[in-house]
Amino acid sequence: MTSEPTVTVGLIGNPNSGKTTIFNRLCRSNDPVGNYPRVTVSVRERTFDYEGVTFRLADLPGLYALTTQTPEESGARDYIHDERASIWVNVLDSGNLERALYLTTQLVEMGRRMVFVLNMIDEAERKQWSIDAEALSRHLGGPVIKVNGVTGQGLDRLRATLLEMSRSEQTPEPVVIDYDDHLVAAVERVSAQIRQFHPDRMTPHQVRWLAIKLLEGDDALLRREGDHASLLEMIQQERDALAAEHGGECEMLFADARYAHVHTLITTVVDRSGVVGEPLPDRTARLDGLLLHPLLGMPLFFVFLWLMFQTTFTLGEYPMGWIEAGVGWVKEMVGGWLPTGMVHDLVVEGVIAGVGGTIVFLPNIVILFFFMAMFSETGYLTRASFLMDRLMHTFGLHGKALIPLVIGFGCNVPAVMATRTIETPRARLIAILVNPFMLCAARLPVFILFAGAFFSEHAASMVFLMYLISMAMALIGSLLLNRLLPRGAPESFIMELPPYRMPTLKALTWHMWDNALNFLNKIAGVILIGSIVLWFLKEFPKEIVWSQDYAGQIERLQATPETPARQEAITQLTRQRDQEALSNSHLGRIARAAAPMFAPLELTWRDTVAILTGLMAKEVVVASYAVLYSEEREKAEESASLKKMLSSSMPPRVAFAFMVFTLLYSPCLATVAAIRREAGGWHWAGFSVVFSLGIAWSLAFGIVTVGRWLS
Amino acid sequence: MDHSTPAVPATEKKSITLAELPAGRSARIEGLIGDAIAKRRLMALGVVRGNEIALETKAPLGDPRIYTLLGYRLSLRNDDARNILVSAV
């Protein structure tokens, strides 16, 4: 069978219309979905084969119109303007058809080959609407297919339709929206002008479409015509004239006409006569009555958060014990099997200690992501955003920043990207810069370990306290940034609230599996390498100029008769020698160089090493401690746990300061890279590192100092 | 491009802003004023002349609020709602 050339298909639709669900279904992939507008913030492409044809499917971020301007929208819009696909699929939310068709009126004017998908058809059916697909197809000039992206109903027809379209070159007649006479006249005048600048290069349809877009004030297209000053001038005059004549802005005239067109279309193709008597009780309205209750709404949000953290911690403890036992067993098996020597030490004290020390936190992370998936899949996150907007606004944070902040509990990298939904650049920048303060899943193991080691009586409360500090610091950070950054344009809060939807088991399990896999990947990658490198840095160089002759002294002592005092002296000498070996190792030297910075925080060289390695990825902090203490744990009488070794290494107040420092200090490398990309430059990434380091150090110093006075 | 706003259209009908709409009442949208970028977003979401809009819920502190239009829920801050002129029906 010969493979035909690839056909590119673009998925376009409103935010939260289920494009990604269809995308995943067709490509058998598992990109993240969620029940809130704008889960997808950048164009994603995958391929699928059908009947010997390879389709390249592009999942575009959601759009409400072609003339709006958040960063992820312009990505989608450029994709459409550049005609990067040969067939377009317009995904429509059937339960929200009137709003969805507004974008469609802009798309059908382009005269492209287009398929219309009535997605979430079950929601329209539940409302007892009957949508006449045949009639809609006639009015839109392309096939209309009823689909349920969740069950997969209708997708075979979609595949077959795409195949059929890929084999014909036929392009449809563009749909003509009935604008009023003044608009039509203006469109014709501008069209004539465009033909002068672009002779022969465009079909009459394309010219007309461009004229409409320019009159509508499409910034991207106006910029593309930047060389044609007289055209731009003419358009401005036409816009002003139309505005003066109609007592409204030019784009408003087009919007009015489009919605009027949609309204007529809806009355023709949707039959609501099936709706008899009382409308069905609306599940969403009933749930909102409780979840958005004036008194209960906000407390409930905090109860949900508390439940999430509490469950993550307590429920995670059981499987954690099993994994710990498993790691211990592997260590014994491998340790016994390998001959003593350097390889043995590297594997046991480096690899198994580092990887094993981190992998025990896998259950916590899976549970955390289960809750995160529940929040986003049901549609509750938008409600939380709505509830918290006023309060967050007081601190200079936009309500829409709540979704990225909550995502930040999982991982700061997608969270920083999720800020793209915030329209105002300044509000978005603040949301990006405070995001690293959110306690991500990578930092959670550090706090579970430390809370268990130093505050075992109140371990769960301590972890919860860290979450509280994390949220408080995001608010305080935003307050500070609001003072620092110059004021900008007024911001608004315009957000669609989707109906509540039952999360599918498939989406939930994939969400958890995906993040578990991500964590395991990190263990196999950065943590494994980090542990090995650390072990080498710790063990070498082997040739050390000792300050005294330890070996000789110990040998001489061993020759004397056995007494408790002799034993004591030998232990003393051995410890001194080990300390000297460590401080002369590469690791010791690096830590000593950084020591002046951490000495005021009363942190030892080991803590310094852990902090430095955490700059790569925060999971490595725990692995570092595991490697650093592995040798001593071996030597201890009964194999002591890492927790126990740690608990005697510093006073609790210093441990608390260390926890706060780890919570707040410089974002990990991946997050720094995300900040550079999203905030637009290295200077913001650099600022973020310095800003968070400064806050982390000051706070930790404060805790250590106050703690010293109190004790 | 210049996004400057022309003067508020002088409406003869007695119109109020959406922020003044009492709970449970619906109104017809008469026009939009204010920032051009916000106006464009609102129009794309169906906030255009002639469409009906109703207040559904207020956030605990009275701001933002949830409105229903075209059969879906839209949340707006009161600052945004003050830029939407409506007449009660």
Coordinates of all heavy atoms in Angstrom, one line a residue, chain A residues 510-563:
Chain A
W510 N -5.6 8.8 33.5 CA -4.5 9.2 32.7 C -3.7 10.4 33.3 O -2.5 10.5 33.2 CB -5.0 9.6 31.3 CG -4.9 8.5 30.3 CD1 -5.9 7.7 29.8 CD2 -3.7 7.9 29.9 NE1 -5.4 6.7 29.1 CE2 -4.0 6.8 29.1 CE3 -2.3 8.1 30.1 CZ2 -3.1 5.9 28.5 CZ3 -1.4 7.3 29.5 CH2 -1.7 6.2 28.7
H511 N -4.5 11.3 33.9 CA -3.9 12.4 34.6 C -2.9 11.9 35.6 O -1.7 12.4 35.7 CB -5.0 13.3 35.2 CG -4.5 14.7 35.5 ND1 -4.7 15.7 34.6 CD2 -3.9 15.2 36.6 CE1 -4.2 16.8 35.1 NE2 -3.7 16.5 36.3
M512 N -3.3 10.9 36.4 CA -2.5 10.4 37.5 C -1.3 9.7 36.9 O -0.1 9.8 37.3 CB -3.3 9.6 38.5 CG -4.3 10.3 39.2 SD -5.1 9.5 40.6 CE -5.4 7.9 40.0
W513 N -1.6 8.8 36.0 CA -0.5 8.0 35.3 C 0.5 8.8 34.7 O 1.7 8.6 34.8 CB -1.2 7.0 34.3 CG -0.3 6.3 33.5 CD1 -0.2 6.4 32.1 CD2 0.7 5.3 33.9 NE1 0.8 5.5 31.7 CE2 1.4 4.9 32.7 CE3 1.1 4.8 35.1 CZ2 2.4 3.9 32.8 CZ3 2.1 3.9 35.2 CH2 2.7 3.4 34.0
D514 N 0.0 9.9 34.0 CA 1.0 10.7 33.3 C 1.9 11.4 34.2 O 3.1 11.5 34.0 CB 0.1 11.8 32.5 CG 0.9 12.5 31.4 OD1 1.5 11.7 30.7 OD2 0.8 13.7 31.3
N515 N 1.4 11.9 35.4 CA 2.3 12.6 36.3 C 3.2 11.6 37.1 O 4.3 12.0 37.4 CB 1.4 13.4 37.2 CG 0.9 14.7 36.5 OD1 1.7 15.5 36.2 ND2 -0.3 14.8 36.3
A516 N 2.6 10.4 37.3 CA 3.5 9.4 38.0 C 4.7 9.1 37.0 O 5.8 9.0 37.5 CB 2.7 8.1 38.2
L517 N 4.3 8.9 35.7 CA 5.4 8.6 34.7 C 6.4 9.7 34.7 O 7.6 9.5 34.6 CB 4.7 8.5 33.4 CG 5.3 7.4 32.5 CD1 5.2 6.0 33.1 CD2 4.5 7.5 31.1
N518 N 5.9 10.9 34.7 CA 6.8 12.1 34.7 C 7.8 12.1 35.9 O 9.0 12.3 35.7 CB 5.9 13.3 34.7 CG 6.7 14.6 34.5 OD1 7.8 14.5 34.0 ND2 6.0 15.7 34.7
F519 N 7.2 11.7 37.0 CA 8.1 11.6 38.3 C 9.1 10.5 38.1 O 10.3 10.7 38.4 CB 7.1 11.4 39.5 CG 7.8 11.3 40.8 CD1 8.4 12.4 41.4 CD2 7.9 10.1 41.5 CE1 9.0 12.4 42.6 CE2 8.5 10.0 42.7 CZ 9.1 11.2 43.3
L520 N 8.6 9.3 37.6 CA 9.5 8.2 37.4 C 10.6 8.5 36.4 O 11.8 8.1 36.5 CB 8.8 7.0 37.0 CG 7.9 6.4 38.1 CD1 7.0 5.2 37.5 CD2 8.7 5.9 39.3
N521 N 10.2 9.3 35.4 CA 11.2 9.7 34.4 C 12.3 10.6 35.0 O 13.5 10.4 34.7 CB 10.5 10.5 33.3 CG 10.0 9.7 32.1 OD1 10.5 8.6 32.0 ND2 9.1 10.1 31.4
K522 N 11.9 11.5 35.9 CA 12.8 12.3 36.5 C 13.8 11.5 37.4 O 15.0 11.7 37.5 CB 12.1 13.3 37.4 CG 11.9 14.6 36.7 CD 11.6 15.7 37.7 CE 10.8 16.8 37.1 NZ 10.2 17.7 38.1
I523 N 13.2 10.4 38.1 CA 14.0 9.6 38.9 C 15.0 8.8 38.0 O 16.2 8.7 38.4 CB 13.1 8.6 39.7 CG1 12.4 9.3 40.8 CG2 13.9 7.4 40.2 CD1 11.6 8.5 41.7
A524 N 14.6 8.4 36.8 CA 15.5 7.7 36.0 C 16.5 8.6 35.3 O 17.6 8.2 34.9 CB 14.7 7.0 34.9
G525 N 16.2 9.9 35.3 CA 17.1 10.9 34.7 C 17.9 11.7 35.6 O 18.9 11.2 36.2
V526 N 17.3 12.8 36.0 CA 18.1 13.8 36.7 C 18.5 13.3 38.1 O 19.6 13.6 38.6 CB 17.4 15.2 36.8 CG1 16.1 15.1 37.6 CG2 18.2 16.2 37.4
I527 N 17.6 12.5 38.7 CA 17.9 12.0 40.1 C 19.0 11.0 40.1 O 19.9 11.0 40.9 CB 16.6 11.6 40.8 CG1 15.7 12.8 41.0 CG2 16.9 10.9 42.1 CD1 14.4 12.5 41.5
L528 N 18.9 10.0 39.1 CA 19.9 9.0 39.0 C 21.2 9.6 38.7 O 22.2 9.3 39.4 CB 19.5 8.0 37.9 CG 20.4 6.9 37.6 CD1 20.5 6.0 38.8 CD2 20.0 6.1 36.4
I529 N 21.3 10.5 37.7 CA 22.6 11.1 37.4 C 23.1 11.9 38.6 O 24.3 11.8 38.9 CB 22.4 12.0 36.1 CG1 22.1 11.0 34.9 CG2 23.7 12.8 35.9 CD1 21.6 11.8 33.7
G530 N 22.2 12.7 39.1 CA 22.5 13.5 40.3 C 23.1 12.7 41.4 O 24.2 13.1 42.0
S531 N 22.5 11.6 41.7 CA 23.0 10.7 42.8 C 24.4 10.2 42.5 O 25.3 10.1 43.4 CB 22.1 9.5 43.0 OG 20.8 10.0 43.3
I532 N 24.6 9.8 41.2 CA 25.9 9.2 40.9 C 27.0 10.3 40.9 O 28.1 10.1 41.5 CB 25.9 8.6 39.5 CG1 25.0 7.4 39.5 CG2 27.3 8.2 39.0 CD1 24.7 6.8 38.1
V533 N 26.7 11.5 40.4 CA 27.6 12.6 40.4 C 28.0 13.0 41.8 O 29.1 13.1 42.2 CB 27.1 13.8 39.6 CG1 28.0 15.0 39.8 CG2 27.0 13.5 38.1
L534 N 26.9 13.0 42.6 CA 27.2 13.4 44.0 C 28.1 12.4 44.7 O 29.0 12.8 45.5 CB 25.8 13.4 44.8 CG 25.1 14.7 45.0 CD1 23.8 14.5 45.7 CD2 26.1 15.6 45.8
W535 N 27.8 11.1 44.5 CA 28.6 10.1 45.1 C 30.1 10.3 44.8 O 31.0 10.2 45.6 CB 28.1 8.7 44.8 CG 28.8 7.7 45.5 CD1 28.6 7.2 46.8 CD2 30.0 6.9 45.0 NE1 29.4 6.2 47.1 CE2 30.3 6.0 46.1 CE3 30.7 6.9 43.9 CZ2 31.4 5.1 46.0 CZ3 31.8 6.1 43.8 CH2 32.1 5.2 44.8
F536 N 30.4 10.5 43.5 CA 31.7 10.7 43.0 C 32.4 11.9 43.6 O 33.5 11.9 44.1 CB 31.8 10.8 41.5 CG 31.9 9.4 40.8 CD1 30.9 8.8 40.2 CD2 33.1 8.7 40.9 CE1 31.0 7.6 39.6 CE2 33.3 7.5 40.3 CZ 32.2 6.9 39.7
L537 N 31.6 13.0 43.6 CA 32.1 14.3 44.2 C 32.4 14.1 45.7 O 33.4 14.7 46.2 CB 31.1 15.4 44.0 CG 30.9 15.9 42.6 CD1 29.8 17.0 42.6 CD2 32.2 16.5 42.1
K538 N 31.7 13.2 46.3 CA 31.9 13.0 47.8 C 33.0 12.1 48.0 O 33.7 12.2 49.0 CB 30.6 12.4 48.3 CG 30.5 12.2 49.8 CD 29.2 11.6 50.2 CE 29.3 10.1 50.1 NZ 28.7 9.3 51.1
E539 N 33.3 11.1 47.1 CA 34.3 10.1 47.4 C 35.7 10.5 46.9 O 36.7 10.0 47.3 CB 34.0 8.8 46.7 CG 32.8 8.1 47.3 CD 33.0 7.7 48.7 OE1 34.0 7.0 49.0 OE2 32.2 8.0 49.6
F540 N 35.8 11.5 46.0 CA 37.1 11.9 45.4 C 37.4 13.3 45.8 O 36.5 14.1 46.0 CB 37.0 11.7 43.9 CG 37.0 10.2 43.5 CD1 35.8 9.6 43.4 CD2 38.2 9.6 43.3 CE1 35.8 8.2 43.1 CE2 38.2 8.2 43.0 CZ 37.0 7.5 42.9
P541 N 38.7 13.7 45.8 CA 39.8 12.8 45.5 C 40.2 11.9 46.7 O 39.9 12.2 47.8 CB 41.0 13.9 45.3 CG 40.6 15.0 46.1 CD 39.1 15.1 46.1
K542 N 40.8 10.8 46.4 CA 41.1 9.8 47.4 C 42.4 10.2 48.2 O 42.5 9.9 49.4 CB 41.2 8.4 46.8 CG 39.9 7.7 46.4 CD 39.2 7.2 47.7 CE 37.9 6.5 47.2 NZ 36.9 6.4 48.3
E543 N 43.3 10.8 47.4 CA 44.6 11.2 48.1 C 44.4 12.5 48.8 O 44.2 13.5 48.2 CB 45.7 11.3 47.1 CG 46.3 10.0 46.6 CD 45.3 9.3 45.6 OE1 44.8 10.0 44.8 OE2 45.1 8.1 45.8
I544 N 44.5 12.4 50.1 CA 44.3 13.6 51.0 C 45.5 13.7 51.8 O 46.1 12.7 52.4 CB 43.0 13.5 51.8 CG1 41.8 13.5 50.9 CG2 43.0 14.6 52.9 CD1 40.5 13.1 51.7
V545 N 46.0 14.9 52.0 CA 47.1 15.2 52.9 C 46.4 15.3 54.3 O 45.8 16.4 54.6 CB 47.9 16.5 52.5 CG1 49.1 16.6 53.4 CG2 48.3 16.4 51.1
W546 N 46.5 14.3 55.1 CA 45.8 14.3 56.4 C 46.5 15.3 57.4 O 47.7 15.5 57.3 CB 45.8 12.9 57.0 CG 45.1 11.9 56.2 CD1 45.7 10.9 55.5 CD2 43.7 11.7 56.0 NE1 44.8 10.2 54.8 CE2 43.6 10.6 55.1 CE3 42.6 12.4 56.5 CZ2 42.3 10.2 54.7 CZ3 41.4 12.0 56.1 CH2 41.2 10.9 55.2
S547 N 45.8 15.9 58.2 CA 46.3 16.8 59.2 C 47.1 16.0 60.3 O 47.9 16.6 61.0 CB 45.3 17.7 59.8 OG 44.3 16.9 60.5
Q548 N 46.7 14.8 60.5 CA 47.4 13.9 61.5 C 47.4 12.5 61.0 O 46.6 12.2 60.1 CB 46.8 14.0 62.9 CG 45.3 13.9 62.9 CD 44.8 14.1 64.3 OE1 45.2 13.4 65.2 NE2 43.8 14.9 64.5
D549 N 48.2 11.7 61.5 CA 48.4 10.3 61.0 C 47.3 9.4 61.6 O 47.5 8.8 62.6 CB 49.8 9.8 61.3 CG 50.0 8.4 60.9 OD1 49.2 7.9 60.0 OD2 50.9 7.7 61.4
Y550 N 46.1 9.5 61.0 CA 45.0 8.7 61.6 C 45.2 7.2 61.6 O 45.1 6.6 62.7 CB 43.7 9.0 60.9 CG 43.1 10.4 61.1 CD1 43.2 11.3 60.0 CD2 42.6 10.8 62.3 CE1 42.7 12.6 60.2 CE2 42.1 12.1 62.5 CZ 42.1 13.0 61.4 OH 41.6 14.2 61.6
A551 N 45.7 6.7 60.5 CA 45.8 5.3 60.4 C 46.8 4.8 61.4 O 46.6 3.8 62.1 CB 46.3 4.9 58.9
G552 N 48.0 5.5 61.5 CA 49.0 5.1 62.5 C 48.5 5.1 63.9 O 48.7 4.2 64.7
Q553 N 47.8 6.2 64.3 CA 47.3 6.3 65.6 C 46.3 5.2 66.0 O 46.3 4.6 67.0 CB 46.6 7.6 65.8 CG 47.5 8.8 65.9 CD 46.8 10.1 66.2 OE1 45.9 10.1 67.1 NE2 47.2 11.2 65.6
I554 N 45.4 4.9 65.0 CA 44.4 3.9 65.2 C 45.1 2.5 65.4 O 44.8 1.7 66.3 CB 43.4 3.8 64.1 CG1 42.5 5.1 64.1 CG2 42.5 2.6 64.2 CD1 41.6 5.3 63.0
E555 N 46.1 2.3 64.6 CA 46.8 1.0 64.6 C 47.5 0.8 66.0 O 47.4 -0.2 66.6 CB 47.9 1.0 63.5 CG 48.1 -0.4 62.9 CD 48.9 -0.2 61.6 OE1 48.4 0.3 60.6 OE2 50.1 -0.7 61.7
R556 N 48.1 2.0 66.4 CA 48.8 1.9 67.7 C 47.8 1.6 68.9 O 48.0 0.8 69.7 CB 49.5 3.2 68.0 CG 51.1 3.0 67.9 CD 51.8 4.4 67.9 NE 51.8 5.0 66.6 CZ 51.5 6.3 66.3 NH1 51.1 7.1 67.3 NH2 51.5 6.7 65.1
L557 N 46.6 2.3 68.8 CA 45.6 2.1 69.8 C 45.1 0.6 69.8 O 44.9 0.1 70.9 CB 44.4 3.0 69.6 CG 44.6 4.4 70.1 CD1 43.4 5.3 69.6 CD2 44.6 4.4 71.6
Q558 N 45.0 0.1 68.6 CA 44.5 -1.3 68.5 C 45.4 -2.3 69.2 O 45.0 -3.4 69.6 CB 44.1 -1.6 67.1 CG 42.7 -1.3 66.8 CD 42.4 -1.3 65.3 OE1 43.3 -1.3 64.5 NE2 41.1 -1.2 65.0
A559 N 46.7 -1.9 69.2 CA 47.7 -2.8 69.8 C 47.6 -2.8 71.3 O 48.0 -3.8 71.9 CB 49.1 -2.4 69.3
T560 N 47.1 -1.8 71.9 CA 46.9 -1.7 73.4 C 45.8 -2.6 73.8 O 44.9 -2.9 73.1 CB 46.7 -0.3 73.8 OG1 45.4 0.1 73.3 CG2 47.8 0.7 73.4
P561 N 45.8 -3.0 75.1 CA 44.7 -3.9 75.6 C 43.4 -3.2 75.5 O 43.2 -2.0 75.6 CB 45.1 -4.1 77.1 CG 46.3 -3.3 77.4 CD 46.8 -2.7 76.1
E562 N 42.3 -4.0 75.3 CA 41.0 -3.5 75.1 C 40.4 -3.0 76.3 O 40.2 -3.7 77.3 CB 40.1 -4.7 74.5 CG 38.9 -4.2 73.9 CD 38.1 -5.3 73.2 OE1 38.7 -6.1 72.6 OE2 36.9 -5.3 73.3
T563 N 40.0 -1.7 76.3 CA 39.3 -1.0 77.4 C 38.2 -0.1 76.7 O 38.3 0.2 75.6 CB 40.2 -0.1 78.2 OG1 40.7 0.9 77.3 CG2 41.3 -0.8 78.9

